[in-house]
Amino acid sequence: METFDYVIIGSGSAGSVLTNRLSEDAGTTVCVLEAGPRDWHPYIHLPAGFIKTFHMKSINWAYQQEPGPYTGGRSIYAPRGKTLGGSSSINGHIYNRGQRQDFNTWAQMGNRGWGYADILPYFRRMERRVGEGEDTYRGRDGSLTVTTMDWKDPLCEAFMEGAVSLGIPKNPDYNGAIQEGVSYCQRTIEKGLRMSAAKAFLHPARKRPNVHVRTHAHATNIIFEGKRAVGVRYLKGGRGGTPVEVRASKEVILSGGTYNSPQLLQLSGVGSPELLKSHGIEVRHALPGVGEGLQDHYAPRSVARVKNIRTINELRQGWHLWVEALKWATTRRGLLSLSPTMVYCFWHSGETTESSDLQLTFTPASYKEGVQGQLEDEPGMTVASWQQRPESRGYVRIRSADPFAPPIIQTNYLTAELDRRVVVAGMKLARRLLSSAPLAPYYAYEDFPGPKVQSDEELLAAATERGTTTFHPGCTCRMGPAESSWAVVDDQLRVHGLQGLRVVDASIMPRMISANLNASTMMIADKASDMIRGKAPMEAVKLAS
Ligand SMILES: Cc1cc2nc3c(=O)[nH]c(=O)nc-3n(C[C@H](O)[C@H](O)[C@H](O)COP(=O)(O)OP(=O)(O)OC[C@H]3O[C@@H](n4cnc5c(N)ncnc54)[C@H](O)[C@@H]3O)c2cc1C
């Protein structure tokens, strides 16, 4: 049986960063197991290919959530990347770190070294920011290129003017000192191509002789000797493939993401004893928090019909698309270099005293109802609005002992009363933004939720009927002190009560942050790499309070 120092399960946002950092020591061997294929598909790299990879089962786990109490009986689609780079290879490229208080809250929950001043050096170390930003906050010589959307669209400009007319200031850098305000979005795009975690971190590391990346390697169990994780069992080629075991002389690191990491722990006998026994799985280690606490952002998308201007809906049709394809081929710019979202707006709902609790995005396009990611034929513009820090929590639980059965995903969106109020407030703000004076020349009428929907109850009903995930699930293997019944890992990301096993990915977040999750997931992995290597943490940044 082959033995490596570290076996990493999953080559996604976290796994890619870890592979790079751990293999910097030439004497350290790292094996990465990835269930999906290599990231060769051109749609991964073309920014607008997002619309295609969204449903592409060869590189996407394509999960379905369970219907929840506030999803109107709908089972919401839950894509996840299944290729080198994981979800960073199919995501919407937005780079958004979150607010200072998000991470200070993690520290207050008992996680030493995770306050904002502690984690900021890691955000900086990874980043190559091209564009505005103060050096206190931004990195300039890391491997992850972050640029600002360079398509200056008149509808986007009018939307931002509309925000300003409502008292929302322009903010040149929402990843700087303050998140609040409106601006074009920042993206992990370089020269018109996606900068996935694989591109920034994994592929450079693969050139090292001490790195062994295995694709089509679906991990089915963590192998234990007593309470110590000593290796991983996987099927080469996926279901029905050849069983293989690899050993880890130092550690097994689980980076399978928010859905698959708790699933693999449960399949390996780590989790709630009742759940494991109900599926005939022997309990290796009782840890009731595994899979519990799932959080995600839930977004209704408000749509207005547009007049007097061309939107993306028309640009992707007929000969326009050929012109755009030529433009991308020759200049790496234009429609095919765009992200699904173009403008970001952070503001208050008025429902809480905490800093901005609403995130709104603007796109000069509209999408087919019920067919996520597919553009409509008619011109439209869309504002998605969501609550930044929801309180509702759900779970991820195995459906059966079959490692290929998709896990049960119950997000429980809007079950907390505060969440319902803030989501309704977000829809009201979206309506005010779309009908602001600067957008008036282009605004034809409100299509969704529609003018008949006025009261809070009606808005909530509309949110229930049409809201969707923003693809930010986290918090299913939460970091916290051993005495917290919900905690799965400690603040060094070691699984409580076990040895030789860490979880390093979006699942360890103890509480949802005010952001999309890719940036912070990579930060988590970068910080974890220092812990694993026994290095001192980077010096905390001195910030004015
Ligand atoms: C459609 C979509 C759009 C998004 N848009 C944005 C955005 O614009 N900005 C942003 O910041 N965030 C966005 N996100 C979220 C962000 O990309 C994720 O939060 C982040 O990538 C999670 O990183 P991770 O390392 O936790 O998991 P992942 O990146 O999902 O990596 C997990 C990896 O583990 C592998 N794996 C899982 N189980 C096994 C197994 N049993 N054996 C072997 N391998 C396994 C998976 O195939 C995958 O490669 C989006 C996500 C999606 C899906």
Side-chain angles (χ1 to χ4, degrees), residues 369-385:
E369 156 61 0
V371 199
Q372 266 178 298
Q374 281 197 23
L375 290 159
E376 287 181 315
D377 296 335
E378 281 181 83
M381 53 185 171
T382 305
V383 173
S385 52

Side-chain angles (χ1 to χ4, degrees), residues 182-494:
V182 65
S183 62
Y184 278 108
C185 64
Q186 296 178 22
R187 321 189 289 159
T188 43
I189 296 283
E190 184 178 36
K191 299 195 177 111
L193 292 168
R194 176 191 293 274
M195 175 59 67
S196 67
K199 193 165 176 197
F201 298 103
L202 185 70
H203 291 311
R206 284 181 82 191
K207 298 191 181 119
R208 299 175 184 150
N210 53 335
V211 172
H212 306 260
V213 178
R214 303 208 169 148
T215 49
H216 299 287
H218 189 123
T220 55
N221 287 93
I222 298 164
I223 306 167
F224 289 95
E225 281 174 4
K227 293 278 182 185
R228 180 170 194 88
V230 294
V232 180
R233 198 166 292 125
Y234 69 90
L235 287 178
K236 189 175 163 188
R239 188 190 277 281
T242 316
V244 182
E245 287 185 9
V246 279
R247 288 247 154 186
S249 58
K250 290 188 174 155
E251 292 190 24
V252 172
I253 304 166
L254 184 48
S255 298
T258 294
Y259 298 142
N260 294 32
S261 283
Q263 179 193 30
L264 196 56
L265 284 174
Q266 291 164 357
L267 289 169
S268 308
V270 181
S272 146
E274 293 74 37
L275 175 73
L276 303 185
K277 283 181 201 155
S278 71
H279 293 296
I281 294 174
E282 189 191 331
V283 180
R284 162 80 46 185
H285 180 61
L287 201 55
V290 174
E292 303 298 308
L294 173 65
Q295 293 200 295
D296 191 11
H297 292 131
Y298 183 76
R301 291 180 161 81
S302 303
V303 180
R305 292 285 146 227
V306 168
K307 61 183 184 190
N308 302 329
I309 196 165
R310 221 164 30 200
T311 67
I312 291 175
N313 294 21
E314 301 95 284
L315 281 181
R316 56 99 217 183
Q317 289 172 31
W319 62 269
H320 291 296
L321 188 57
W322 289 103
V323 172
E324 291 297 330
L326 190 64
K327 200 188 284 176
W328 186 81
T330 52
T331 67
R332 292 284 187 263
R333 295 171 87 98
L335 187 70
L336 300 189
S337 74
L338 293 184
S339 301
T341 296
M342 292 167 65
V343 175
Y344 261 63
C345 177
F346 303 92
W347 201 238
H348 304 281
S349 68
E351 289 287 336
T352 67
T353 52
E354 286 184 293
S355 59
S356 65
D357 58 350
L358 283 176
Q359 188 169 334
L360 300 101
T361 64
F362 177 77
T363 312
S366 59
Y367 300 90
K368 285 186 179 150
E369 156 61 0
V371 199
Q372 266 178 298
Q374 281 197 23
L375 290 159
E376 287 181 315
D377 296 335
E378 281 181 83
M381 53 185 171
T382 305
V383 173
S385 52
W386 63 89
Q387 179 195 20
Q388 302 236 67
R389 295 175 296 277
E391 292 187 342
S392 307
R393 287 188 184 270
Y395 54 82
V396 171
R397 296 177 189 157
I398 45 171
R399 196 175 295 277
S400 79
D402 175 2
F404 292 90
I408 296 171
I409 301 169
Q410 174 53 267
T411 313
N412 280 331
Y413 295 120
L414 304 186
T415 45
E417 204 220 335
L418 176 72
D419 298 5
R420 298 197 285 276
R421 290 208 309 266
V422 177
V423 161
V424 166
M427 292 176 84
K428 288 181 184 167
L429 180 55
R431 175 174 274 167
R432 289 173 65 213
L433 284 163
L434 283 170
S435 55
S436 69
L439 271 173
Y442 314 115
Y443 178 91
Y445 63 92
E446 183 180 294
D447 192 45
F448 181 81
K452 287 194 184 132
V453 176
Q454 289 298 333
S455 69
D456 285 6
E457 292 69 30
E458 288 164 346
L459 285 164
L460 179 62
T464 300
E465 278 160 30
R466 292 266 290 259
T468 59
T469 172
T470 54
F471 324 112
H472 303 155
C475 316
T476 51
C477 296
R478 284 176 280 170
M479 168 173 67
E483 54 278 14
S484 305
S485 59
W486 46 263
V488 173
V489 296
D490 67 10
D491 53 21
Q492 300 280 305
L493 310 189
R494 297 171 295 212

